[in-house]
Amino acid sequence: MPYTASPLIPSATADHQFSTQNLPYGVFSTSSNPTQRIGVAVGDFVLDLTSCADLLTQSVEGLTAEDVTSSNLNSLMGKESKVWKGLRAQIFSLVTGSAPGLTTSNFVSLTAVTMHMPARIGDYTDFYSSREHATNVGTMFRGIDNALQPNWLHLPVGYHGRASSVFLDGSAVVRPQGQLQKNKEDPKEGSIFGASKLLDFELEMAFFVGGPANPPGTPITMAEAEDRIFGLVVMNDWSSRDVQKWEYVPLGPFCAKNWATSISPWIVSLEALEPYRAATSAREQKDPEPLDYIKDPNYSSYDIALEVTIQGENMSAPETVSKSNFKNLYWNVKQQLVHHSITGCNMSPGDLLGSGTISGTPQDSFGSMLELCWKGTREVKLGESGEVRKFLKDGDTVSMSGVCKKEGVGCVGFGSVTNKIYPAGTKLAASGANGVWKAA
Amino acid sequence: MPYTASPLIPSATADHQFSTQNLPYGVFSTSSNPTQRIGVAVGDFVLDLTSCADLLTQSVEGLTAEDVTSSNLNSLMGKESKVWKGLRAQIFSLVTGSAPGLTTSNFVSLTAVTMHMPARIGDYTDFYSSREHATNVGTMFRGIDNALQPNWLHLPVGYHGRASSVFLDGSAVVRPQGQLQKNKEDPKEGSIFGASKLLDFELEMAFFVGGPANPPGTPITMAEAEDRIFGLVVMNDWSSRDVQKWEYVPLGPFCAKNWATSISPWIVSLEALEPYRAATSAREQKDPEPLDYIKDPNYSSYDIALEVTIQGENMSAPETVSKSNFKNLYWNVKQQLVHHSITGCNMSPGDLLGSGTISGTPQDSFGSMLELCWKGTREVKLGESGEVRKFLKDGDTVSMSGVCKKEGVGCVGFGSVTNKIYPAGTKLAASGANGVWKAA
């Protein structure tokens, strides 16, 4: 199928991350119209859905004005997947000119928009689904023979996280303070108070749950899973390794993880990603085979190239520290969602489920500084800048991006999630609403 | 100070759990007016705040009509504590007749109301703050010499939980299914699928966060803590011990805890509890002393008598299985809140923070079946009914209640949280909105 361009938006070429294959959803405002509203990125522009709500609701069954004119995507997310799919098809027709009605006045320039949190996140969960990452971390802390815990190959290990501290691309991130183990070797000596020294990123992706919530007690089945996944973003699960080390037994990470998680602003649908469906790096799950309820008859993932850069305050440009791929997950998004609900957990539209750190096999594909510097035993070079890192410094800007490219198919990009680290104690302006905080 | 009765509501005697000392907030509706609205329990009646909104907003600075006429308490919770305190004082004046304006038409009978979730819970966290409980569980799983982990006496251990599955008193609870370790002794043999056999309650209390949210990066201080606590409820943190055993390493409880948590419907303020302030069972924290940021200069808790009953399907009455007290917490609510935010976590009005299982020293004060049956090694007698339990059976109704009583002070009761267990696979009606689910 040849690429279909947009007569209205010539910049939406097949090579553009917001090609007509993508059509990701986001929430934006402009200085001339500060109302937060839903948009779809097309080339160098954003289609303002409020401006063409009638064109959408008239032709998509089940779609209401509220779904496309709200200040967030929760209403649309709560509709059945056939509504989102119908909306995507209609937007494609309008943008590519096969359906009439749009003019350039329905678009605003990407350079003119301020992005906001795309949804009110009800609950946020983080998984731990890269076998390479879990093996790396397990090897560092328990040795290679006990790297994976006995449950890891049987279920997607995960934990509940903090929804209030999920921020957006561009938000300031403040270095946390907290309790740190006094003597690294002996926890019995207790703790001291201080700023976290082992500040880290985690390269992840995450998906927003869609569809009407399942009632408590009724798990989501594998056959239903794709209809409950609204779309994906790139995510940085900021972590404080020293806080975590001291606090995490026996109930898991808590304050080490609740101060910041950041996401890219555009939500990419599974339909946009379908041409990029690919085998996972594991290729199959045989030893052991998953239990029936999480066996995916179409076990696969998506070929999404991921990259992490760091730019220190004295550096002239960002330098790449990791290149990974969304394929590097042993448990895929369907399996994560199905397992999450297996005990009967009701999953709501707007919930955000993180993949866990996405590491590949080569060292330069590791998705965290903990792995890249191998627990502080080696320095990570930041390109030719002359700078090195073990963990992150104040003033560092960390950026993560994701993109799908393939001959003959429109490019699908996620934009990026880029955040700067401010020193411990920095006050953020209380006005930094809707996920984008700024230093006061 | 002698007890002040209510001329309008003679049933609100000093002995009534909803005495004029209490004045707890809840959200209710009636069959004649199905609008969900805010009420305050007074004796056998509920004061409908919508019906007297003008009397309240006229005399309380900073209070808006939205705060008292909304369908939940989030707006009121988001105000500064002086607003809640002003509102409580004005309601006390109106109910006790020292301020004019109320008539019996502002009240509806408690027997006529249906209760709803009092707030939209942004994030739910559960602590693990009873030393007796942590010691019991640690002794069972690691032996008495390693019962408490090294961090336990230094910080309130906690973990993030699932907000979507916090339900209300009266809601049906469905036995979960999930992955269970195949061989109890050897995790390396993998897992099987099945209904949870080790179904448990956890006797807890929880508090709702109030006050304007702190921005990320700015922890709540001990001096500010009481102004960020809106009020308390009794909570049952339903748990699946066999699901937990298999899944919880290394990131903590996940599916074992995300299928149900239930709370009592009336939120009791710290001002109502003030006459019941009492030493904790620990009395002091000296060995070790807490770090400065969580040292409470007024280290104390509240004397709240707690009780758990079980009624099996063939029993004619509920039987008590545990009597504990909110004093049995080593870390108090202020310390929990302050520690939660120490890494900079932004805490929002409507967040719910659970205490952890509240066990005392005597065996009959243990707050879970896991402890009462000591990991299945002894049977718990249900009174003289002839029935015994280790863990919970389908059809069991579990009820928890809390009450404060003291000579010369009005009684402060929490009502109760009572839920029946339905067999695995039971379908709940999708209409069971706002926290109270019923079998379909």
Side-chain angles (χ1 to χ4, degrees), chain B residues 133-204:
Chain B
H133 170 70
T135 303
N136 285 341
V137 173
T139 303
M140 281 180 235
F141 292 101
R142 285 181 302 274
I144 198 157
D145 293 336
N146 298 300
L148 284 189
Q149 303 274 9
N151 57 13
W152 200 95
L153 291 168
H154 296 268
L155 55 79
V157 169
Y159 64 101
H160 299 288
R162 177 90 192 165
S164 76
S165 54
V166 180
F167 308 134
L168 201 68
D169 171 50
S171 187
V173 162
V174 179
R175 180 180 297 269
Q177 307 182 68
Q179 283 201 29
L180 314 171
Q181 193 168 309
K182 191 186 285 178
N183 177 335
K184 256 203 308 200
E185 311 301 327
D186 185 6
K188 295 208 169 116
E189 291 191 19
S191 60
I192 55 170
F193 183 81
S196 171
K197 291 191 178 69
L198 310 184
L199 190 63
D200 205 352
F201 62 76
E202 292 193 324
L203 170 61
E204 303 199 12

Side-chain angles (χ1 to χ4, degrees), chain B residues 226-242:
Chain B
E226 288 196 5
D227 291 324
R228 297 296 312 275
I229 297 174
F230 184 81
L232 281 89
V233 293
V234 177
M235 186 172 94
N236 184 347
D237 182 32
W238 297 88
S239 298
S240 167
R241 303 294 177 193
D242 37 6

Side-chain angles (χ1 to χ4, degrees), chain A residues 179-183 186-192 246, chain B residues 150 154:
Chain A
Q179 284 201 29
L180 314 172
Q181 193 169 309
K182 191 187 285 178
N183 178 334
D186 185 6
K188 296 208 169 115
E189 291 191 19
S191 60
I192 55 170
W246 168 241
Chain B
H154 296 268

Side-chain angles (χ1 to χ4, degrees), chain A residues 29-52:
Chain A
S29 65
T30 53
S31 56
S32 60
N33 179 0
T35 305
Q36 295 182 20
R37 54 205 195 273
I38 300 171
V40 168
V42 186
D44 294 337
F45 290 83
V46 177
L47 173 63
D48 180 342
L49 296 201
T50 301
S51 77
C52 57

Side-chain angles (χ1 to χ4, degrees), chain B residues 416-432:
Chain B
S416 62
V417 50
T418 304
N419 307 84
K420 184 172 170 180
I421 301 165
Y422 287 79
T426 301
K427 297 287 175 208
L428 301 183
S431 61

Side-chain angles (χ1 to χ4, degrees), chain A residues 150 290 312 352 430:
Chain A
L352 184 72

Side-chain angles (χ1 to χ4, degrees), chain A residues 373-393:
Chain A
C373 77
W374 205 258
K375 215 180 159 187
T377 59
R378 62 187 179 212
E379 288 182 328
V380 179
K381 274 185 73 174
L382 301 186
E384 302 306 315
S385 68
E387 296 220 24
V388 294
R389 291 288 183 280
K390 285 178 175 172
F391 291 90
L392 297 167
K393 287 191 176 172

